[in-house]
Amino acid sequence: MTRCAPVLLLGLGLAALLGPPPAAAQRPTAEVACAAAGPPFTYDCTIRLRRGDRPLEGAEITITADMPSMPMAHNVRPVVARAGQAPGEYEARLELDMLGEWAIRLRLGGPVRDLLVVHYEFDEAGAHPASGARRHRH
Amino acid sequence: MDLYTIGVLTNIGLLSFLALSAYVLLVAGEMSFGQQAFFGVGAYTAGIATAMFELPLLAAALAAMTLGGGAAVLVGLPTLRLRGLYFAMVTLAAAEMFRILFELLRWQRPVAGEPVGPDGTQGFRGIRWVFEQGVEPAHFLAIIYVLLALLLGVLLLVERSRLGATLRAIGEDPELAAALGADVARLKLGAAAAAGALAGLGGALYAHHNTYIEPRNFDIMLGVHSLAYALIGGLGTALGPVLGVVLDIGLLEGSRLFAGYRMIVFGGLVALILVVRPRGLLDEALVHALRRRLRRAP
C-alpha cells in the first residue's frame, strides 16, 4: 500500500492538471420549438443554440429532416435559418411531408462547425421532443 | 448544385445499393424481404469501426461488406432450400430478428471523453468520420456514385459472363440448371453473400451520411421498398433497379402537389406500372431487343 501511494498521488495530480476532456464541454446543443403554420405539415420553428452555458450567436444553420421509420423516403427541402429575437435563437419555416417523428438535422457553420441531430414528434399543433428524451445533442 | 438536389441524389444513390442487393437475389430466383437487415449490419459495422475505433472509412466499408455478406450466408445456409413464398417469409422473419438484435446491442466506449457506440433503441450517434474529415455533401455524393458506378460495371460484366447466364438459368428453372451441371445450392449461396455485401456497403455509406442510425431505420418498410425498386425498374439488367429507385424518388417528389395523399397516389402509380409491366420496365425481353438492335447498328 505504501509503495502504491506515490503512484496514486502522481496519477491524481496529473488528472487534476489535465482537467476534464475538452471535447464534450465545447460542442453546441440545440433545442427546437415548433408551432404549426398555416399550410399542412408546415411549422414555424425556433432553434435555441447553446455552447456550454452561453447562447451561440452568429451561427449559420441549415436544417434538413428525415423520418427514422422511413429513411431516405422523404426529401425535405433544406432551409437556412435566420437570426431570431434573442441571442442564440434562430428561426425557420420547416415544410415536412407528414406527421410523426422526425430526425431534424442541423448543419452549423460560422463560429462553430458541427452537425446536430435532434428528434421531435410533429403533430397538428406543433412539435415536442420524441420519447426517449432525445433532445440532447448528437 | 443546391443542397436539395444533392440530398435527393444522395438518397437515390444509397437506395440503389439496397435495390441492387434485392436484384441479385431476384435474378437467382429468390425474393427476399430481408435485405434491410444486411444494410443495417453494414451500417452498424461501419459506424463501430470509424466512431469507436477511429478506423478510416475504407476499412470500415470493407468490414461492412464482409459482415454483411457473412450475415447473408448465415441466413442463407438454412433457408435457401426453401422456395418462393416460404423463402420470402423466412427472410422477413430473419430481418426482424436482426432489427431486434440491433435494439439489444449496447456497446459503448469513451472517445474524446464521450461514450460512443450503439445504445439499443436510443440508436447509435456520433458517426462523424465523414463530417470531421471535412467531406462536404457534394463530395460524399461523388464518392457514392463512383462506388455505385464501379459496382454497376462489375454487375454488368457478370451478367454478360457464363456465371451470369448460369444464375439466370437457376432463377428460371433450378431443376433444369442442376440437370445441366450447375451447382445450384453453392451459386445461390454465393448470390446471397454478394447481395449481403452490396447491402452492407450501402449501409456503411448511409450511416456516415446520416451520422446517426437506429434499429427502426432497418424495418420491413425498407425491405419492401428495396424489392419494389428492383421489380419496378426491371430484372433484365442491373440498371433496372437503379431506374426503379429514380422512378420511385421521382414519383414521390412529383406527387408533392397531392400533399397528404401523395403516398396513396404513389402506391397507385406503382401498382399501375406493375400491372402494365409485370417484370418491370427494363425486363428481359426489352433488354434482349435493345441489345439486338445495338448489335445491328452500323
Side-chain angles (χ1 to χ4, degrees):
Chain A
M1 187 65 188
T2 50
R3 265 190 273 173
C4 292
V7 175
L8 281 171
L9 281 171
L10 183 63
L12 282 169
L14 279 172
L17 278 173
L18 288 170
Q26 296 302 317
R27 286 194 61 201
T29 60
E31 282 192 11
V32 179
C34 297
F41 315 122
T42 303
Y43 301 86
D44 287 324
C45 298
T46 302
I47 300 114
R48 293 184 188 86
L49 283 185
R50 300 189 72 80
R51 193 179 187 190
D53 56 358
R54 292 184 179 181
L56 181 59
E57 296 182 73
E60 297 152 11
I61 311 176
T62 305
I63 308 164
T64 55
D66 196 21
M67 276 196 119
S69 57
M70 297 173 64
M72 300 171 282
H74 300 279
N75 293 284
V76 173
R77 278 198 182 271
V79 174
V80 176
R82 58 189 180 281
Q85 314 280 350
E89 277 190 7
Y90 304 83
E91 294 171 354
R93 175 165 281 201
L94 207 52
E95 292 178 16
L96 302 177
D97 291 342
M98 56 194 297
L99 303 180
E101 185 177 329
W102 288 80
I104 308 298
R105 191 183 300 139
L106 308 170
R107 184 176 281 268
L108 308 185
V112 173
R113 183 177 175 273
D114 208 326
L115 189 60
L116 307 177
V117 178
V118 290
H119 286 247
Y120 280 79
E121 186 81 35
F122 285 80
D123 55 28
E124 289 86 355
H128 55 271
S131 58
R134 289 195 179 114
R135 281 180 302 165
H136 62 273
R137 62 179 164 81
H138 168 262
Chain B
M1 200 185 292
D2 61 84
L3 276 177
Y4 171 70
T5 306
I6 290 172
V8 172
L9 290 174
T10 300
N11 285 343
I12 289 173
L14 293 173
L15 287 168
S16 294
F17 286 92
L18 203 51
L20 286 166
S21 169
Y23 163 79
V24 167
L25 271 173
L26 280 167
V27 165
E30 299 298 348
M31 187 177 291
S32 167
F33 281 97
Q35 297 311 100
Q36 70 277 17
F38 315 123
F39 194 75
V41 166
Y44 274 88
T45 302
I48 286 168
T50 58
M52 294 173 71
F53 295 99
E54 298 174 278
L55 295 177
L57 183 60
L58 177 61
L62 289 171
M65 291 179 73
T66 304
L67 285 188
V73 167
L74 270 177
V75 172
L77 274 170
T79 62
L80 277 168
R81 64 193 66 200
L82 300 170
R83 299 269 188 88
L85 181 62
Y86 302 103
F87 178 77
M89 293 309 296
V90 163
T91 55
L92 176 58
E96 280 299 286
M97 283 170 57
F98 274 95
R99 191 183 58 75
I100 292 165
L101 280 172
F102 298 147
E103 288 183 355
L104 297 173
L105 177 62
R106 281 187 177 80
W107 178 27
Q108 298 194 310
R109 63 194 297 265
V111 176
E114 270 194 65
V116 174
D119 189 16
T121 55
Q122 297 298 307
F124 182 174
R125 301 166 181 273
I127 305 171
R128 296 161 56 87
W129 189 93
V130 166
F131 179 77
E132 286 172 351
Q133 295 298 313
V135 179
E136 294 299 321
H139 301 148
F140 194 63
L141 176 68
I143 292 171
I144 290 170
Y145 277 86
V146 164
L147 287 171
L148 189 59
L150 285 170
L151 185 61
L152 278 170
V154 169
L155 286 172
L156 289 170
L157 279 172
V158 168
E159 279 176 0
R160 306 292 299 266
S161 71
R162 190 187 178 102
L163 173 63
T166 308
L167 268 177
R168 280 200 185 271
I170 289 171
E172 291 290 327
D173 192 334
E175 284 84 13
L176 179 59
L180 292 172
D183 189 340
V184 173
R186 186 175 293 189
L187 284 169
K188 275 195 173 183
L189 196 61
L198 286 183
L201 177 58
L205 294 171
Y206 170 73
H208 287 84
H209 163 66
N210 227 29
T211 72
Y212 161 81
I213 55 177
E214 60 175 287
R216 271 187 305 172
N217 294 152
F218 312 110
D219 75 358
I220 182 176
M221 284 305 298
L222 197 58
V224 168
H225 272 88
S226 69
L227 205 49
Y229 302 143
L231 290 172
I232 292 168
L235 304 179
T237 167
L239 295 171
V242 179
L243 177 64
V245 177
V246 170
L247 281 174
D248 180 296
I249 302 290
L251 283 172
L252 268 177
E253 292 307 298
S255 61
R256 276 180 185 278
L257 62 101
F258 295 104
Y261 300 96
R262 58 192 290 240
M263 293 307 286
I264 297 170
V265 172
F266 166 71
L269 285 168
V270 169
L272 183 64
I273 289 173
L274 288 176
V275 163
V276 172
R277 307 275 297 184
R279 292 287 288 181
L281 294 167
L282 287 177
D283 61 10
E284 290 90 337
L286 178 60
V287 170
H288 186 63
L290 285 171
R291 281 186 183 147
R292 269 193 314 181
R293 194 169 289 184
L294 281 170
R295 273 198 294 267
R296 283 195 207 133

